[in-house]
Amino acid sequence: MADARQHEMLIVTGMSGAGRSTVANALEDLGWYVVDNLPPQMLRPFVDLAGRAGASLPKIAAVIDIRGGEFFSELQDTIQELRKGTALRVVFLDASDEVLVRRFESVRRPHPLQGDGTLLDGISAERNRIATIRGASDLIIDTSGLNIHQLATVTREHFSEVDAVGVSVTLLSFGFKYGVPADADHVADARFLPNPFWIPELRAQTGLDSDVAAFVLEQAGAREFLARYAAALEPVLDGYQRENKRHVTIAVGCTGGKHRSVAMVKELSTLIGALPRVAVSVRHRDLGRE
């Protein structure tokens, strides 16, 4: 049997309604061989098949979810077994309860675990059943604020040409008043800086505008924080590469996600992007919400 470690393998799982089908389609567009709704017991035969196929199936992905019923409970044990001899990563898709309810209602379909209860009953039951899988995942993507096109773009950012770099970093600005991003690996707080919101001529602008960026970066401690934070992240990103963690999300927040966090993320992207074998993409989650 061929060595399975020569293959890249993804397990795509997560909450029902969080966008697994969109991610699967985007992976197929990137050249991955994707199997949907695969029972966990079939993962090992799937890996063995890819091994026999050799270079014709270098990247394989399996979408596994609660539709597997009682079989889903065996997924954690199967993942631990596969990690011993396979270049395996687990991607978990999540979304807020409010968003999941809205998505199910829009397609007029019940939740797989809803039974005679409500949609929220089904969602709560699913969260309880897959909490362990979420905690063991290599990458968590919160799709609450993403449409299908944006989710496909995020998928491409994470999984296209990943071998060209050691680690792909997503720098994400956000507003604390809208909640801390569920998929953030690291969170920094830019609220120690004066808020441009209280400057009348800057209020309507954003951190992407030069006047706001200059105001934020000229404040005492701003550039010092960025330099030290980037320096602190360098050994962390080196360690991620050694541990084969290829994707990391670093979030920087301010009150509304419009001024300080946006300017700081933009500047941080230059510092992080200069590190060896690091690719950086930038997202502004809450820009435009005010």
Side-chain angles (χ1 to χ4, degrees):
M1 183 178 63
D3 187 353
R5 287 172 294 184
Q6 66 182 298
H7 297 275
E8 289 186 71
M9 182 176 186
L10 291 179
I11 291 178
V12 180
T13 188
M15 293 296 294
S16 301
R20 291 186 306 262
S21 296
T22 299
V23 170
N25 291 336
L27 288 172
E28 286 187 337
D29 292 341
L30 293 172
W32 290 75
Y33 184 84
V34 181
V35 177
D36 192 12
N37 197 18
L38 188 70
Q41 292 86 344
M42 296 301 297
L43 277 171
R44 171 52 68 184
F46 182 40
V47 172
D48 292 343
L49 175 64
R52 289 194 294 272
S56 62
L57 286 180
K59 299 187 294 184
I60 59 176
V63 179
I64 300 178
D65 54 69
I66 209 70
R67 290 174 294 173
E70 63 184 37
F71 298 124
F72 187 81
S73 62
E74 301 179 22
L75 179 57
Q76 181 62 29
D77 291 339
T78 305
I79 288 173
Q80 292 178 351
E81 177 188 348
L82 288 175
R83 285 194 189 278
K84 298 175 182 177
T86 307
L88 172 67
R89 287 171 289 161
V90 180
V91 181
F92 189 99
L93 302 178
D94 204 351
S96 68
D97 288 1
E98 178 185 359
V99 169
L100 293 175
V101 167
R102 188 163 64 245
R103 289 174 182 173
F104 273 105
E105 288 180 340
S106 69
V107 295
R108 299 183 180 181
R109 294 183 61 189
H111 187 280
L113 298 184
Q114 182 175 341
D116 295 330
T118 66
L119 273 172
L120 282 175
D121 291 334
I123 291 169
S124 177
E126 185 176 22
R127 285 202 188 281
N128 290 332
R129 287 186 61 178
I130 64 178
T132 302
I133 301 296
R134 189 184 193 280
S137 297
D138 301 288
L139 174 64
I140 298 173
I141 301 176
D142 184 353
T143 70
S144 300
L146 304 176
N147 60 36
I148 59 174
H149 306 293
Q150 292 168 332
L151 179 54
T153 297
V154 169
T155 303
R156 287 193 295 271
E157 290 174 350
H158 280 302
F159 299 110
S160 62
E161 302 299 330
V162 293
D163 286 332
V165 297
V167 61
S168 296
V169 176
T170 298
L171 289 173
L172 176 68
S173 71
F174 72 96
F176 276 98
K177 72 178 184 180
Y178 301 115
V180 176
D183 53 348
D185 297 287
H186 300 265
V187 177
D189 188 349
R191 291 175 297 182
F192 70 94
L193 299 170
N195 193 347
F197 178 85
W198 302 112
I199 310 298
E201 58 268 28
L202 299 180
R203 181 174 300 175
Q205 300 184 52
T206 75
L208 297 177
D209 293 307
S210 59
D211 289 345
V212 173
F215 174 85
V216 171
L217 295 174
E218 288 170 3
Q219 299 303 314
R223 292 190 182 276
E224 180 183 6
F225 167 79
L226 289 171
R228 292 190 178 187
Y229 191 43
L233 286 169
E234 184 171 3
V236 174
L237 297 178
D238 287 342
Y240 283 159
Q241 294 183 47
R242 290 191 298 271
E243 294 299 315
N244 200 35
K245 180 176 174 63
R246 299 194 179 191
H247 308 281
V248 58
T249 298
I250 299 170
V252 180
C254 61
T255 302
K258 178 179 179 180
H259 296 111
R260 292 165 290 181
S261 62
V262 174
M264 295 289 273
V265 158
K266 183 179 179 182
E267 187 69 13
L268 187 61
S269 68
T270 300
L271 299 175
I272 298 296
L275 298 177
R277 301 191 71 236
V278 173
V280 175
S281 61
V282 173
R283 286 175 50 209
H284 302 296
R285 189 191 73 176
D286 299 321
L287 196 59
R289 294 187 68 167
E290 290 189 346

